[in-house]
Amino acid sequence: MTTQQPSSPDTSSRTPRVAIVTGASGGIGRAVATRLADDGMTVVAHFSGNRDRAADVVAEITHRGGSAIALGGDIADENAMADLFAEAAARFGGLDVVVHTAGIMPLAPIAEMDLETFDRVQRVNVRGTFIIDQLAARELRPGRAIINFSTSVTRLQMPGYGAYAASKGAVESLTLILARELRGRDVTVNAVAPGPTATPLFFDGKSTEAVEHIASLNPMQRLGTPEDIAEVTAFLAGPGRWVNGQVLYANGGAA
């Protein structure tokens, strides 16, 4: 009796691989985009509202010898994202990796958050993830990877993060179910759940004392960096083929 060996990406005839990184104009998204480019991938750097920062990401990648373009669009608009995926595939001949970092994080106690803000968080973080995952599931070539972004707050349960944590709980469920729905496709689906990470999104509205306190909560006694998160993402996008249907908590041991 012979046992069929698991397949691995055929990089000999499909180089470079093509990766879409949503939210690439943000702190973690930028680090992920440049890290994947360093691994030899052609990067489609998605942006929602900040074209200039996305252009900076592309310029950085090309300066380092990589290949990248910037494409924009509302992450929760199915037509805009379908156009983005279609343009990326048409330009580069196919798609291999989708990393979905885009999201928003308005904070307020549950008793005080207005429903308009709550709905906006769910639209961007949940609907946006559903749309990106749906397109990725339809378009990715075999032997490739979908990587969503959750948060360690789903475990830390910090006050003020109710709406955000609720949206990321949904992201985790979508991730684990999609991994099983893609049975037989040789496409991995995982989520990265960063802990507090030194990005503008994290620092917004926090005092120095609050930042120092949060940084002290994990055994490493520091905030994560975007590069820390990018390393985990690059593993899932490349050599981590036997990791599938998982949520990887990248938080320095906070929970």
Side-chain angles (χ1 to χ4, degrees):
M1 177 178 179
T2 60
T3 302
Q4 183 178 359
Q5 293 300 311
S7 61
S8 59
D10 175 11
T11 58
S12 61
S13 61
R14 295 183 190 160
T15 52
R17 290 181 291 160
V18 179
I20 293 176
V21 180
T22 70
S25 61
I28 290 177
R30 179 177 189 136
V32 168
T34 55
R35 180 64 176 80
L36 296 185
D38 287 344
D39 282 348
M41 297 189 199
T42 293
V43 174
V44 178
H46 160 267
F47 64 93
S48 178
N50 202 317
R51 181 185 299 271
D52 290 342
R53 284 199 302 194
D56 288 343
V57 175
V58 171
E60 179 180 353
I61 289 172
T62 54
H63 178 73
R64 292 159 67 155
S67 175
I69 62 169
L71 295 176
D74 178 355
I75 205 70
D77 182 325
E78 67 273 27
N79 295 319
M81 291 303 99
D83 289 345
L84 183 147
F85 270 70
E87 182 170 352
R91 285 203 189 194
F92 302 113
L95 300 172
D96 302 294
V97 174
V98 173
V99 182
H100 181 45
T101 78
I104 60 173
M105 191 176 65
L107 302 180
I110 292 170
E112 299 174 13
M113 177 171 279
D114 63 86
L115 289 177
E116 182 178 352
T117 301
F118 178 85
D119 288 345
R120 183 162 58 91
V121 172
Q122 308 314 311
R123 179 183 183 276
V124 173
N125 294 357
V126 181
R127 177 185 169 92
T129 299
F130 188 92
I131 288 170
I132 293 300
D133 281 5
Q134 185 177 73
L135 290 166
R138 293 170 177 172
E139 299 295 336
L140 284 195
R141 296 183 281 213
R144 306 313 186 188
I146 300 169
I147 303 159
N148 291 323
F149 265 67
S150 181
T151 173
S152 288
V153 174
T154 56
R155 284 186 174 181
L156 299 174
Q157 298 154 1
M158 298 165 64
Y161 286 79
Y164 181 67
S167 72
K168 292 303 186 176
V171 167
E172 292 186 8
S173 293
L174 288 170
T175 300
L176 305 185
I177 290 170
L178 182 58
R180 286 148 183 82
E181 290 180 346
L182 294 185
R183 181 182 184 88
R185 287 275 305 280
D186 194 23
V187 172
T188 61
V189 189
N190 294 289
V192 177
T197 305
T199 66
L201 186 67
F202 170 77
F203 288 121
D204 185 34
K206 294 183 178 68
S207 66
T208 300
E209 293 76 15
V211 169
E212 290 175 350
H213 170 70
I214 293 171
S216 72
L217 295 178
N218 71 72
M220 307 293 285
Q221 295 187 307
R222 67 171 177 85
L223 296 176
T225 68
E227 290 72 25
D228 290 328
I229 310 306
E231 287 297 324
V232 176
T233 307
F235 169 72
L236 293 175
R241 298 302 304 161
W242 198 232
V243 181
N244 189 27
Q246 304 298 318
V247 180
L248 271 62
Y249 288 84
N251 58 26

